[in-house]
Each structure stands twice: as C-alpha cells, then as structure tokens.
Amino acid sequence: MPLFSFEGVSPNVHPDAWIAPTATLIGNVTVEKGASVWYGAVIRGDSGPIVIREGANIQDNSVIHTNTELCEVGRNVTVGHQCLVHDCTVGEQALIGNGSTVLDRAVIGPRALIAAGATVTPGTEVPAETIAMGSPAKKFVPLTDSARMWVDHNAAVYQELARRHREGSQPV
C-alpha cells in the first residue's frame, strides 16, 4: 500500500484496517481498526489531520483532503465510489452516495444519507437520519425505509468484503 510521509508526518494505520494496494495515504492520516480504504482512493493529510474512524469504508477512487482543520469520517461511515470529501465532518454511520461532494466545514449528521451525485456546499449542516438531495443539496427529507436499509447495513457489508479482499486478492 502506498503510504507517504509528508514533512516528517506519516500515516497511522491500525493493523486491523485494510488498505487496498492502489490506495494512497499521505501525511497526517489516521485509519482506525476495521476501516477500509479501497482501490484508487487518495487520502491526503498534507494541510491538516484526517481521521477515518473504526469500521468506516472509503470506496474506490474517492478523495479526502482538508485545509488546516480536522477532517473526520465517523465510525461505520460509508464514503461511496468517486466521492470528494473535503475539510468536513461526517457523523457516525452516515452514507455518502456515489459521486457526491461534501465541502468545507459541512457537518453530516449521524446516519444521514447524501444522495448519489449530491453536492453539500460549504458550511451546510445535514441533520441526522435525513436524506440530502440535489446539487447543491438543499432538499432534506427523513430516511425512507430503503435508505434506512442502506444506512443500517452498508458498513457491515464492506467490513466483510474488506476481509475477503485481505484474504483473497493478490497481484497476477
């Protein structure tokens, strides 16, 4: 896995986390127990700290960066494929849908779902247990039954999938 020190600060990855061999972690990045960072993802802590909490998953080709503040991805969060998460806070068990963008100083509440392709603009607060839709995301509605299913189960699905990749993937 490509890990890079930046100005003397190196990523800190828990031994029980899984980092895909093509993911890149740079500088002040912490990845906690049971978290996973998938193929092509880039987490660049060159300007401030980034913490990926226990059980979270950062899916393929997503980018996480911050300015000078802490960028925190909470416990059991899913950051879907090709997302941009920048200088913000994502609450526990939230789900950031594929292709979404979450920008500076945004706060995503626990168990919130950011709809695929949505853009959460700087400083926006998305309440807990809601779906945020649109670009910019201005429509917030309560979690539907199908959205709740994704929020409830997606982290566990990716924790199991990470275990399978740790044990069963190898270069050919």
Side-chain angles (χ1 to χ4, degrees), residues 63-101:
V63 174
I64 300 178
H65 186 246
T66 191
N67 291 325
T68 58
E69 302 299 317
L70 169 68
C71 182
E72 182 175 8
V73 175
R75 290 182 67 233
N76 295 317
V77 162
T78 292
V79 174
H81 307 287
Q82 295 185 328
C83 291
L84 170 62
V85 174
H86 195 272
D87 201 18
C88 60
T89 301
V90 182
E92 184 170 335
Q93 206 169 349
L95 193 155
I96 310 302
N98 295 342
S100 296
T101 300

Side-chain angles (χ1 to χ4, degrees), residues 42-167:
V42 175
I43 304 177
R44 182 163 54 93
D46 57 356
S47 299
I50 298 170
V51 177
I52 310 302
R53 296 283 179 209
E54 182 175 340
N57 63 92
I58 312 305
Q59 294 179 11
D60 309 74
N61 296 316
S62 287
V63 174
I64 300 178
H65 186 246
T66 191
N67 291 325
T68 58
E69 302 299 317
L70 169 68
C71 182
E72 182 175 8
V73 175
R75 290 182 67 233
N76 295 317
V77 162
T78 292
V79 174
H81 307 287
Q82 295 185 328
C83 291
L84 170 62
V85 174
H86 195 272
D87 201 18
C88 60
T89 301
V90 182
E92 184 170 335
Q93 206 169 349
L95 193 155
I96 310 302
N98 295 342
S100 296
T101 300
V102 182
L103 294 172
D104 303 45
R105 300 173 320 284
V107 177
I108 309 303
R111 296 179 47 76
L113 187 150
I114 308 305
T119 299
V120 179
T121 55
T124 299
E125 292 190 25
V126 177
E129 301 250 345
T130 61
I131 303 170
M133 296 176 274
S135 187
K138 291 188 177 196
K139 182 176 181 183
F140 303 138
V141 300
L143 287 178
T144 62
D145 287 342
S146 64
R148 188 175 309 283
M149 184 208 53
W150 285 101
V151 169
D152 287 346
H153 300 291
N154 204 68
V157 168
Y158 267 82
Q159 289 162 11
E160 172 60 17
L161 189 56
R163 182 196 62 73
R164 291 175 52 210
H165 276 261
R166 177 192 308 271
E167 295 172 2

